[in-house]
Amino acid sequence: MSLFATGALGRVVRSGVERRRVQTAVIAVATMMAVASSVVAGALMVAAAAPFDHAFGKQQGAHLTAQFDPAKASAGELAKTGKLPGVAASAGPYPSTAVRPVDRAGFHLPTLTLVGRSGPNGDVDRVDLKAGRWAQKRGEIVLDASFEGPAVEIGAALKTSDAEGAPPLSIVGFAVSASKTADSWATPAQVEALASEGSPVTSQMLYRFDSASTKQQILAGRKKLADSVSSEALLGTRSWLDTKRAADQGAAATVPFVMAFGALGIVMSVIIVSSVISGAVGTSLRRIGILKAIGFTPREVVRAYVAQALIPAGVGITSGVVLGNLLAVPLLSDTESVYGGVSLPVAWWVDVAVPAAALVVVGIAALIPALRAGRLRTIEAIAVGRAPRTGRGQWAHRAMGMLPLPRPVTYGLATPFTHPPVENSAANTSEKPKAADPATVRSVVTSQPGTQSYYGKAQTEVAVAGVSGSIRASLYEGDSRPGRYEMISGHWITGKGQVVVPSRFLERTSTKIGDTVRVTYEKDTETLRIVGESFDTSGSRLEIHADMANFASAEPSTFLVETKSGVSADEYARKVAAVVQPLGGDATTNASSGQEGVILIMSAMAVLLTLMLITVAGLGVLNSVVLDTRERIHDLGVCKAIGMTPRQTMSLVLASTAVIGVIGGLIGVPAGYALHHVVMPVMGRAVGTSLPSPVLDVYGPFPLLLLGLGGVVIAVLGALIPAGWAARARTATALRTE
């Protein structure tokens, strides 16, 4: 038997949908927003769960990137390694070398692995070209998309080094390799031409194995490769597991955030849709009784009112899926850029599961009150809503009547306890290679009349005893407190013999504040005492902070200056630049850095989902107040007949809604505060750091009070339209309304 019947039952369904236009529209819009927020949340939860895996799978990423000595392994021999047992696919050999190009402003880019490939595709590591085109001739280069910026853009020229006569390279495209097999690409001939004694050409091979999910399997595959070529031909390898670990750690911070916000969006969706549908069906009980009186069976009544809920909800669900996909695109694009992956579409099953779940929620929300109405005796159904229960809310009226407020306001404040509506409220100088003499630059800075304070800084690599590989170090000259990191514990460096380290360093080295570590910079080795634990979310790579005076050979490559009040930073920089540029230096102002990367994603997502939840909550209020006002229109007519003005009528309706807003704020603020203190530490642990108190303790009494008032604001805004309608209703019309 069809749910959407024809004949008399079909007319009842159509008339119900058309007659209750406000409720129909609210059901459709609220369902649309709920579904859209659920699609966005679901898409982001899927993307955050395994962004690297998605990108790696789509690009057929390399399980092992191997570098061979071309003098000891020919191209033919390397091609044969791709047919070894256990090798599922291979690509190469590609010529590879290292370059450190210089941009048009004269600044060095980091040392880049440059690989010669005739195109982005292949059996392994199908590089995703994000912008521009692939390099087709000499003098062209494609860079990893992470380098794109104002000075590094398509068409910009790079020099292969800062040496006289260094050949230029024109940027023709930006690409992303999920496997991180290279930082830049050019034609094979270009790579051969750029090789030097310090950076000879090697042969890069890319492999996918039948089994590569563990370190042992990767090592077994590597051994087969090493055994298949001559001794010492294999120069080095990089496992995809290391790349995955670094990528996942960068994504890990967003996972608890997305999960919490996604779960909140889904729960809010269920609550709002359920309340809207239940209210729409529940307030139609008297009409249901009339239908039963003229011959409709209980089953037909139930079907009619479930259909009246499902029709606008179905429209809203369909629109919500489309809207959710459109809203998810920019957020997924940000996710893609941060994770270094390929395009991340909304997972197909999210578009199937969310509307299916929404239909189930809507159906159950409509079915429960409809079944109750179907079981009611005809006379009881007709009587429902006409006569309020004796004595309900009298205590509230007596209590509110004692307040020094106008009677319409106290009447409205007591109304929620008399006629409890279904309502929900939500409270819810730049780095430069050492060319200019630091002493000269320092002298220029100190001689400028606008200098308030300054300190020198050098970012370099050091070795720490007990830690494999090099560690990034920031060395400071002078009072570096203006550039200090937020401290979790301990204090910032105040002189020689001290070092500040991030939480990951303490964990990896099994040290604590007060312990000592041996740090080597070039030929200088010093024992430094750990005096502070810094709040550092810069990634999986460790960075330590120490005084430059610890190492005799260290010199600042950057001077960071704070100008005096009233001094133009741009003018100051121009004066300094005019002196130091002929010496090989430069001076620029520090543009205010906007939020980027993971923080940008979380900020955009928080704003989007918060606005959607507020909209859905406001629509829930609107629908509930419309239903409640129409249910009580006869009572309002009586009040108007005894002298209540339109303004007093509006204040009555708004006051009744404000009570629910206050209750929502009192519940929502503590719940949100508790959720913040649960989610934030989980995010910190996900990236290997604790959180300092300024990050956790962001809510003072005044912000919490404002957030609590948010529930009242949402409730009042949602009730303005029906309150205005009630105020404009004519007394005679209201008294005749059944």
Side-chain angles (χ1 to χ4, degrees):
M1 199 177 221
S2 174
L3 178 65
F4 303 104
T6 58
L9 186 56
R11 288 194 296 273
V12 170
V13 173
R14 290 192 296 273
S15 66
V17 172
E18 294 172 358
R19 182 172 57 86
R20 295 197 307 268
R21 294 180 181 177
V22 174
Q23 290 91 335
T24 297
V26 169
I27 291 171
V29 175
T31 309
M32 178 186 70
M33 299 299 289
V35 170
S37 64
S38 298
V39 168
V40 172
L44 291 171
M45 289 166 69
V46 171
F52 177 82
D53 295 336
H54 293 311
F56 189 83
K58 186 171 182 178
Q59 287 192 352
Q60 291 292 293
H63 289 138
L64 193 72
T65 302
Q67 301 291 339
F68 292 90
D69 185 345
K72 298 181 179 179
S74 66
E77 291 174 322
L78 294 179
K80 291 179 181 179
T81 62
K83 298 179 174 58
L84 291 172
V87 177
S90 66
Y94 303 126
S96 174
T97 190
V99 296
R100 193 181 186 194
V102 181
D103 67 17
R104 61 191 178 194
F107 293 96
H108 276 287
L109 272 67
T111 300
L112 307 179
T113 298
L114 178 66
V115 173
R117 292 177 61 167
S118 57
N121 296 320
D123 294 334
V124 181
D125 190 36
R126 299 167 185 169
V127 177
D128 187 27
L129 192 62
K130 308 302 295 182
R133 60 174 176 82
W134 199 255
Q136 299 172 351
K137 59 184 179 180
R138 285 197 178 191
E140 295 181 344
I141 189 172
V142 174
L143 293 181
D144 186 275
S146 62
F147 293 106
E148 188 173 7
V152 183
E153 56 190 359
I154 293 179
L158 300 176
K159 291 173 61 179
T160 54
S161 71
D162 54 5
E164 279 289 333
L169 294 173
S170 176
I171 302 172
V172 297
F174 292 97
V176 170
S177 166
S179 310
K180 302 298 181 186
T181 59
D183 304 307
S184 56
W185 298 267
T187 63
Q190 179 71 78
V191 175
E192 298 280 357
L194 291 178
S196 63
E197 183 177 349
S199 299
V201 169
T202 60
S203 297
Q204 183 188 80
M205 285 291 295
L206 310 177
Y207 300 96
R208 285 183 65 84
F209 298 130
D210 293 329
S211 300
S213 58
T214 67
K215 181 179 179 180
Q216 290 71 24
Q217 291 171 338
I218 294 294
L219 291 175
R222 186 186 189 281
K223 187 175 187 304
K224 288 182 182 179
L225 296 176
D227 293 342
S228 66
V229 294
S230 61
S231 176
E232 298 181 355
L234 181 60
L235 301 176
T237 59
R238 177 176 178 141
S239 167
W240 79 288
L241 295 176
D242 295 330
T243 307
K244 173 180 169 61
R245 187 180 303 110
D248 286 348
Q249 188 170 37
T254 64
V255 174
F257 181 86
V258 173
M259 293 291 285
F261 230 126
L264 180 62
I266 293 171
V267 169
M268 278 289 295
S269 302
V270 171
I271 293 174
I272 296 298
V273 172
S274 300
S275 65
V276 170
I277 304 300
S278 298
V281 176
T283 54
S284 301
L285 297 182
R286 186 170 182 275
R287 191 164 186 265
I288 291 172
I290 295 174
L291 292 175
K292 295 180 78 173
I294 62 176
F296 279 77
T297 66
R299 179 175 295 182
E300 288 175 326
V301 169
V302 171
R303 288 172 52 205
Y305 279 86
V306 171
Q308 288 180 28
L310 288 178
I311 288 174
V315 174
I317 289 171
T318 303
S319 304
V321 172
V322 175
L323 178 61
N325 278 263
L326 293 176
L327 293 174
V329 168
L331 293 180
L332 290 175
S333 297
D334 288 336
T335 305
E336 166 198 347
S337 64
V338 172
Y339 297 150
V342 296
S343 300
L344 299 171
V346 177
W348 66 267
W349 62 265
V350 172
D351 286 337
V352 173
V354 169
L359 277 175
V360 172
V361 170
V362 171
I364 293 175
L367 184 61
I368 292 174
L371 286 172
R372 180 168 56 87
R375 289 193 300 268
L376 280 175
R377 294 172 58 188
T378 302
I379 297 201
E380 290 178 354
I382 292 175
V384 167
R386 287 301 309 275
R389 295 178 184 175
T390 304
R392 172 185 280 180
Q394 289 184 1
W395 66 271
H397 280 285
R398 286 195 296 267
M400 297 303 174
M402 299 172 64
L403 297 175
L405 295 172
R407 181 55 186 158
V409 175
T410 60
Y411 184 35
L413 292 174
T415 296
F417 306 98
T418 308
H419 301 274
V422 180
E423 183 171 329
N424 290 278
S425 297
N428 303 357
T429 61
S430 57
E431 183 126 2
K432 183 77 177 173
K434 293 182 185 177
D437 177 29
T440 303
V441 177
R442 190 183 301 110
S443 174
V444 172
V445 169
T446 55
S447 65
Q448 288 296 318
T451 303
Q452 174 72 32
S453 63
Y454 76 96
Y455 64 94
K457 181 179 180 180
Q459 284 194 304
T460 185
E461 305 289 326
V462 298
V464 176
V467 179
S468 60
S470 62
I471 291 179
R472 186 166 53 198
S474 290
L475 306 179
Y476 302 89
E477 177 191 78
D479 184 2
S480 60
R481 285 177 296 178
R484 66 183 181 273
Y485 280 45
E486 196 68 56
M487 302 303 297
I488 297 171
S489 58
H491 62 81
W492 186 250
I493 54 176
T494 57
K496 288 184 62 175
Q498 301 177 356
V499 64
V500 168
V501 301
S503 305
R504 293 187 302 277
F505 183 96
L506 299 177
E507 181 181 352
R508 191 174 301 181
T509 59
S510 299
T511 54
K512 62 184 184 298
I513 293 179
D515 291 347
T516 58
V517 291
R518 289 180 61 81
V519 180
T520 300
Y521 170 70
E522 294 184 350
K523 297 181 179 180
D524 298 331
T525 299
E526 292 292 332
T527 299
L528 306 180
R529 184 173 302 279
I530 301 174
V531 297
E533 178 185 1
S534 62
F535 175 53
D536 183 358
T537 60
S538 58
S540 59
R541 192 176 184 190
L542 299 180
E543 179 177 8
I544 65 174
H545 308 270
D547 195 299
M548 197 175 296
N550 293 306
F551 308 103
S553 58
E555 290 185 331
S557 58
T558 305
F559 288 93
L560 295 104
V561 182
E562 182 176 349
T563 59
K564 293 180 179 178
S565 177
V567 175
S568 168
D570 291 330
E571 183 63 27
Y572 181 96
R574 280 194 293 270
K575 290 180 180 179
V576 174
V579 178
V580 301
Q581 279 179 345
L583 306 175
D586 199 2
T588 60
T589 57
N590 287 331
S592 57
S593 58
Q595 291 177 315
E596 56 187 8
V598 171
I599 295 178
L600 175 63
I601 294 174
M602 293 192 290
S603 299
M605 184 168 48
V607 171
L608 175 63
L609 291 180
T610 299
L611 290 177
M612 295 180 73
L613 293 179
I614 290 174
T615 302
V616 171
L619 289 170
V621 172
L622 172 63
N623 181 77
S624 298
V625 177
V626 166
L627 295 175
D628 186 61
T629 303
R630 287 189 172 179
E631 183 183 4
R632 296 189 294 112
I633 191 63
H634 187 275
D635 296 343
L636 293 175
V638 172
C639 292
K640 287 191 169 194
I642 61 176
M644 182 177 287
T645 65
R647 179 175 295 179
Q648 291 174 325
T649 303
M650 178 173 281
S651 64
L652 185 155
V653 176
L654 293 180
S656 66
T657 309
V659 173
I660 306 300
V662 171
I663 295 173
L666 291 174
I667 296 174
V669 168
Y673 187 83
L675 184 63
H676 169 79
H677 279 75
V678 170
V679 173
M680 291 300 292
V682 174
M683 292 171 61
R685 288 194 296 271
V687 294
T689 183
S690 302
L691 297 179
S693 57
V695 176
L696 284 177
D697 302 331
V698 296
Y699 294 114
F702 185 67
L704 288 175
L705 177 62
L706 291 180
L707 290 172
L709 293 176
V712 180
V713 173
I714 293 172
V716 171
L717 291 177
L720 279 177
I721 294 176
W725 171 78
R728 291 192 302 270
R730 297 175 59 187
T731 303
T733 303
L735 289 172
R736 288 197 302 268
T737 301
E738 296 293 341

